[in-house]
Amino acid sequence: MAVSVRFVSKMASVLGVVALVAVAGVAGSIVAPVSAVAQTANSIIVEGNRRVDAETVRSYFGAPPLTPAKIDEGLKALYATGLFSDVRVSNRGGRLVVSVEENEVINRVAFEGNKKVKDEQLAGEVQSKARAPFSRTTVQADTQRIIEVYHRAGRYDVRVEPKTIDRGQGRVDLVFEITEGEKLGVAEIKFVGNKSFSDWKLKDELTTTESNWLSWLKNTDVYDVDRINSDQELLRRFYLKNGYADFRIVSVTADLDRKKEGFIITYVLDEGQQYRVGTVDVVSNIKDVDPARIRSALRVAKGQVYNAELVEKSVENATIEVSKSGYAFAQVKPRGDRNPEARTISLVFAVEEGPRVYIERIEIRGNTRTRDWVIRREFDLAEGDAYNRVLVDRAERRLRNLGFFKDVKISNEPGSAPDRVILVVQVEDQPTGEFSISGGYSSSDGFIGEVAVSEKNFLGRGQFVRLAGTLGENVQGIDFNFTEPYFLDYRVAAGFDLSYRETDSTSYSPYSTTTGGGTLRVGLPLTDELTLGLRYTLSQKEISIDEDDIATYGQISWALLEVNNDPAITSAVGYTLSYNMLDNNIDPTNGYLLEFKQDLAGLGGDVNYIRSTFDARWYMPVFGDVVLMLRGQAGNVSSWGGEDLRILDNFFKGPDLVRGFESNGIGPRDLASGLDGSDPDALGGTLYWGTTAELQFPLSFLPKEVGLKAAVFADAGSLWDYQGNTTFENIAGWDSNLVDCSALEGSSTKGMNNVCVADSDSIRSSVGVSLIWKSPFGPLRFDYAWVLSKEDYDQEQAFRFSGGTRF
């Protein structure tokens, strides 16, 4: 076994000094004792130093007298400086001789061969720096750090060889020669032991993805130990959210498969059984706290599938309720009693007095852009308040959900007294602005593009600002939006919208429109699920019909001619009441969303109406990865104050109600406008209803990252009850264009009139298939429908494509 000569030399020096001191203690007449020799600084002789001053070397041995312990400590301290590659001590003529060999100084640090990782990133990882002493131990550690950087990037064939180039005068260049090798990603993710959820569903919960032909668009397919550890926690939370309280991950292995050029990650799972909530009880150990009041704040109920997230939310809500009762130090602790035979977990929420600890101060660190008060307002706590860990965790979640920061961490530090604590909020700002170019196509609007600039943390004040311009085949417009999320220092979102829009006539709409106006809005979160939105809208809308079409009255509805070039100002107040229990707002698989809207127009302006709409959606997993979506919608609009309802204020429906029909393809129509062979004009209706049942399922034979889902659907609904004039005596030529409506099949209007209204509340229905693509460029949807029932005057359209893109 080879032994370092330098190590042997060092040990010999140390042993020599110890032996020298020992001999001196026995035969003082032969060798003078060290304590007697080293009484002055001149008793230590330094040899071999070139850059380090001799006095600096002597200082490490301390003040005289020199003892064996001091010599040993000085020797170790000199090695620890990193300035010397070798240090030896000896006795010469009664003096202590310290012989040193200085380390070379690094002139510069360079990297060669690296193409996938930038020099700046590597320089930030290594500890060897220019003008610092050269240390072989540090260089070896730096080599390993560089290898780890490449491992995190999925390159496990990397080789790093450090080399030095002598520049004279004790200076060297340190060069790391890197052979990067090929990228090794995650070739396959396997699950063993999962029975309740498919591999597809579990992969959807992970942040790590498999390598495929879309790998050039992502970096999540790289094998990263930190990401794997994070994925394990995501799996645990997923199973706990779905009632599997006994779930555990038995093991996670990563095997390198050279043939597949990647790692195979295998999760071995023990799902256990699914639990439901048994009894739910509240026990209060505080005399004046009513358990019934706390029970009303809980989010869990008997018979529900056990959900760990709802238990956490219940603890949070209950803690807030107790605090409102004046018990700021109270704690709510949940306890779960499992009954494996009955597969239930009985929950008890115990209310207890907690330790009396106060928040001395809240320190914000790391924010270079976001204002301190933007961070502080997310806390339900302030300096001097009682410390409550539940409310601190709630603030941390809120800060993470803002999207302003790369990372958020709240920790505690001791205060000036035992009952004082300092909250330290460590954040790291990230870019929050966005420039986007988006485009899409719809059957009604044709091709359309949008350029938008938005900022969700405007000037570090947490405000949202957006400016967008739209240009398409049949539509042009501009929009400006501003939102203040904490209006008047309350958790109330207030803002305004300004817009201007022009639409051209198409085969779906025989007139052009010009609309401009603005909206003031306020959003009030009544609870975490229930939101009330208030708004006031002032707008002007004008329609115009081409003169060539006006010349041939038969092609244009007289109802449309009545409002031609007649600008109308709408002044309306409204509200939206929304109850959201969806598990995911973007891609829901469970839960429901209820939304009721109502607008009252007539507070000034030219239009009087009351419009009410209701929309309900319910999602639930049926089996495996198949999700059932049920939807119901309805609406009503009516005039008030003795005013007639303008045609433009009616509802116009098509594929948004029942797929398989054109835009504005359902509902009342003017049959007289189609006497020349053209399609009759849509008049709109005042009442509608619609239902949808849709089964969505992933295409599991494709990679999950492709984002393709398929669906089968059935739609049914109706739009009817046109409210408006059928004779327009104020329009020139009205009496020369009367039509015998009784001669037109499907018309409900009799006699000689300008407008022959076909109006029926019969059910329109269809079935079809859909392809839904959550593409890298935005959501796209393809629908193909077969109409089952309709009226003769309805307009069909079997295929419909809609979507957008962002790049």
Side-chain angles (χ1 to χ4, degrees):
M1 179 178 181
V3 180
S4 170
V5 174
R6 183 167 295 172
F7 175 76
V8 173
S9 174
K10 174 184 174 182
M11 293 304 298
S13 299
V14 175
L15 293 174
V17 171
V18 174
L20 174 64
V21 174
V23 172
V26 177
S29 59
I30 301 175
V31 179
V34 172
S35 59
V37 171
Q39 297 299 320
T40 66
N42 292 331
S43 298
I44 301 177
I45 300 174
V46 180
E47 296 179 345
N49 58 310
R50 292 177 295 174
R51 295 183 301 274
V52 182
D53 187 71
E55 288 300 326
T56 301
V57 176
R58 293 189 184 102
S59 67
Y60 281 91
F61 292 91
L66 290 178
T67 63
K70 283 188 176 181
I71 295 174
D72 184 52
E73 290 176 1
L75 187 64
K76 293 177 180 177
L78 286 173
Y79 269 103
T81 63
L83 297 172
F84 308 101
S85 59
D86 190 22
V87 180
R88 298 185 301 275
V89 295
S90 61
N91 183 278
R92 184 187 304 165
R95 295 182 176 182
L96 185 67
V97 179
V98 181
S99 301
V100 299
E101 184 178 333
E102 294 180 349
N103 271 326
E104 297 158 312
V105 174
I106 299 175
N107 181 55
R108 70 184 183 96
V109 179
F111 307 94
E112 294 182 356
N114 55 308
K115 298 178 180 178
K116 302 300 181 181
V117 182
K118 295 181 179 179
D119 287 2
E120 293 78 6
Q121 183 178 350
L122 295 177
E125 293 287 337
V126 300
Q127 300 299 311
S128 298
K129 305 293 182 183
R131 295 183 297 278
F134 175 83
S135 170
R136 295 190 181 277
T137 302
T138 304
V139 170
Q140 291 303 318
D142 288 342
T143 301
Q144 190 59 38
R145 290 189 184 96
I146 295 173
I147 291 174
E148 289 299 323
V149 170
Y150 276 92
H151 283 183
R152 290 197 297 269
R155 297 183 180 275
Y156 284 80
D157 285 339
V158 61
R159 295 190 302 276
V160 180
E161 184 178 353
K163 292 185 176 181
T164 59
I165 302 174
D166 189 2
R167 294 302 185 187
Q169 298 180 349
R171 297 178 302 111
V172 295
D173 287 346
L174 175 59
V175 180
F176 292 95
E177 294 185 353
I178 302 171
T179 304
E180 294 181 323
E182 294 297 323
K183 173 183 175 182
L184 293 176
V186 177
E188 186 178 0
I189 300 176
K190 293 182 177 180
F191 297 94
V192 177
N194 56 311
K195 300 176 182 178
S196 302
F197 300 99
S198 67
D199 288 6
W200 176 277
K201 180 60 179 176
L202 295 182
K203 289 177 185 178
D204 202 39
E205 297 299 319
L206 306 180
T207 57
T208 302
T209 61
E210 296 174 336
S211 299
N212 50 48
W213 55 275
L214 286 174
S215 292
W216 63 279
L217 287 172
K218 59 182 181 177
N219 58 9
T220 55
D221 61 338
V222 172
Y223 176 72
D224 187 336
V225 175
D226 293 336
R227 187 184 289 130
I228 298 298
N229 292 335
S230 175
D231 285 343
Q232 293 182 58
E233 182 60 27
L234 291 176
L235 277 179
R236 290 189 187 95
R237 294 187 67 85
F238 171 75
Y239 270 94
L240 287 174
K241 185 175 70 174
N242 287 279
Y244 293 85
D246 297 329
F247 171 78
R248 65 190 183 97
I249 299 176
V250 179
S251 65
V252 182
T253 59
D255 301 312
L256 181 59
D257 190 324
R258 293 290 180 180
K259 293 182 179 179
K260 293 185 177 181
E261 297 182 347
F263 284 90
I264 298 177
I265 302 175
T266 304
Y267 291 86
V268 180
L269 311 178
D270 181 6
E271 291 184 329
Q273 59 187 6
Q274 188 183 51
Y275 288 85
R276 290 187 174 270
V277 177
T279 59
V280 180
D281 197 11
V282 177
V283 176
S284 176
N285 296 322
I286 302 176
K287 182 179 179 180
D288 297 331
V289 175
D290 183 9
R293 181 178 177 182
I294 304 304
R295 190 175 286 108
S296 64
L298 303 182
R299 293 284 306 279
V300 292
K302 184 177 181 179
Q304 286 181 345
V305 173
Y306 177 79
N307 187 328
E309 290 185 359
L310 292 183
V311 173
E312 292 177 5
K313 188 63 180 177
S314 297
V315 171
E316 183 179 298
N317 291 351
T319 301
I320 295 173
E321 283 299 320
V322 175
S323 299
K324 291 178 181 178
S325 301
Y327 294 90
F329 298 100
Q331 296 179 338
V332 179
K333 297 182 178 180
R335 186 182 74 245
D337 298 323
R338 302 184 192 184
N339 185 337
E341 289 76 19
R343 296 187 178 183
T344 60
I345 298 179
S346 296
L347 297 171
V348 177
F349 295 86
V351 183
E352 303 172 351
E353 276 283 6
R356 292 182 173 273
V357 179
Y358 297 89
I359 298 175
E360 182 171 318
R361 67 178 182 273
I362 300 175
E363 289 189 3
I364 313 295
R365 300 175 183 173
N367 54 315
T368 57
R369 181 166 178 266
T370 305
R371 313 291 180 92
D372 278 10
W373 50 267
V374 172
I375 298 173
R376 290 179 183 274
R377 70 189 183 187
E378 298 299 330
F379 284 81
D380 294 321
L381 300 166
E383 282 89 347
D385 288 350
Y387 173 80
N388 191 304
R389 187 67 222 179
V390 172
L391 298 183
V392 172
D393 292 341
R394 185 189 203 189
E396 185 170 336
R397 286 197 303 273
R398 285 175 175 171
L399 288 172
R400 291 183 184 276
N401 292 337
L402 289 176
F404 299 168
F405 312 105
K406 289 182 180 178
D407 188 37
V408 178
K409 183 178 181 181
I410 302 179
S411 57
N412 301 336
E413 291 184 358
S416 58
D419 63 344
R420 298 290 187 271
V421 66
I422 299 172
L423 289 184
V424 178
V425 185
Q426 186 71 44
V427 299
E428 183 181 355
D429 282 300
Q430 67 178 357
T432 53
E434 182 180 86
F435 171 78
S436 64
I437 302 176
S438 57
Y441 175 84
S442 69
S443 304
S444 58
D445 295 329
F447 287 98
I448 186 171
E450 180 185 80
V451 177
V453 178
S454 64
E455 171 58 66
K456 61 183 177 182
N457 188 14
F458 184 63
L459 300 178
R461 304 171 67 90
Q463 298 165 334
F464 176 81
V465 179
R466 181 176 184 268
L467 178 65
T470 303
L471 180 64
E473 286 185 271
N474 306 313
V475 60
Q476 305 85 39
I478 187 169
D479 297 274
F480 179 78
N481 315 100
F482 175 84
T483 302
E484 167 55 65
Y486 276 78
F487 184 60
L488 299 178
D489 292 329
Y490 290 97
R491 191 168 280 113
V492 174
F496 63 89
D497 307 309
L498 301 175
S499 64
Y500 178 82
R501 201 171 194 86
E502 294 180 354
T503 61
D504 301 329
S505 59
T506 66
S507 59
Y508 303 102
S509 176
Y511 54 86
S512 302
T513 64
T514 302
T515 307
T519 299
L520 298 176
R521 49 185 164 75
V522 176
L524 306 170
L526 304 180
T527 67
D528 288 339
E529 299 81 23
L530 185 62
T531 303
L532 173 64
L534 305 175
R535 60 185 170 273
Y536 170 74
T537 301
L538 182 64
S539 64
Q540 176 178 289
K541 188 170 186 176
E542 177 183 353
I543 75 167
S544 59
I545 303 173
D546 187 86
E547 293 183 359
D548 294 337
D549 292 336
I550 294 177
T552 55
Y553 290 132
Q555 295 182 4
I556 298 296
S557 167
W558 281 84
L560 297 177
L561 287 174
E562 181 197 28
V563 294
N564 183 48
N565 294 319
D566 183 17
I569 295 177
T570 301
S571 175
V573 294
Y575 68 91
T576 299
L577 199 59
S578 176
Y579 192 76
N580 190 340
M581 289 292 291
L582 296 177
D583 61 342
N584 187 306
N585 290 332
I586 299 175
D587 188 18
T589 59
N590 201 357
Y592 57 90
L593 172 64
L594 308 176
E595 191 172 72
F596 179 73
K597 296 181 179 180
Q598 199 163 48
D599 291 279
L600 173 66
L603 304 180
D606 306 317
V607 179
N608 292 0
Y609 65 75
I610 299 177
R611 176 183 285 117
S612 304
T613 61
F614 177 74
D615 192 356
R617 303 188 188 207
W618 180 47
Y619 296 82
M620 66 169 294
V622 181
F623 55 88
D625 299 316
V626 179
V627 175
L628 171 65
M629 188 275 285
L630 299 177
R631 182 184 183 187
Q633 50 182 322
N636 168 256
V637 60
S638 60
S639 61
W640 63 277
E643 297 287 337
D644 291 331
L645 191 68
R646 286 165 51 94
I647 185 175
L648 298 181
D649 298 323
N650 284 333
F651 295 112
F652 290 84
K653 294 294 180 179
D656 55 333
L657 190 69
V658 180
R659 281 165 283 193
F661 293 89
E662 292 182 354
S663 294
N664 306 337
I666 297 175
R669 308 189 88 80
D670 176 18
L671 299 184
S673 64
L675 290 177
D676 62 345
S678 62
D679 292 335
D681 294 333
L683 299 176
T686 61
L687 291 167
Y688 75 87
W689 66 269
T691 59
T692 294
E694 182 171 286
L695 282 174
Q696 300 178 356
F697 49 92
L699 301 177
S700 55
F701 56 87
L702 294 174
K704 178 176 71 70
E705 295 75 26
V706 174
L708 274 176
K709 290 195 301 183
V712 293
F713 63 83
D715 294 341
S718 185
L719 170 68
W720 75 100
D721 196 25
Y722 167 74
Q723 298 289 332
N725 291 335
T726 57
T727 301
F728 303 97
E729 300 182 7
N730 59 323
I731 300 179
W734 70 274
D735 54 353
S736 62
N737 286 275
L738 298 180
V739 176
D740 183 3
C741 296
S742 61
L744 300 178
E745 183 179 355
S747 173
S748 61
T749 301
K750 308 300 181 182
M752 300 295 289
N753 297 287
N754 304 108
V755 179
C756 297
V757 179
D759 193 354
S760 172
D761 61 357
S762 63
I763 298 176
R764 282 77 161 178
S765 61
S766 66
V767 295
V769 295
S770 301
L771 190 63
I772 307 166
W773 185 22
K774 190 170 62 176
S775 75
F777 312 107
L780 300 174
R781 181 169 185 130
F782 307 84
D783 296 314
Y784 194 90
W786 292 269
V787 173
L788 301 180
S789 61
K790 71 180 189 70
E791 290 294 330
D792 291 338
Y793 49 81
D794 291 333
Q795 305 298 311
E796 295 184 47
Q797 183 186 58
F799 177 75
R800 182 171 183 260
F801 161 65
S802 62
T805 181
R806 176 163 294 177
F807 51 89

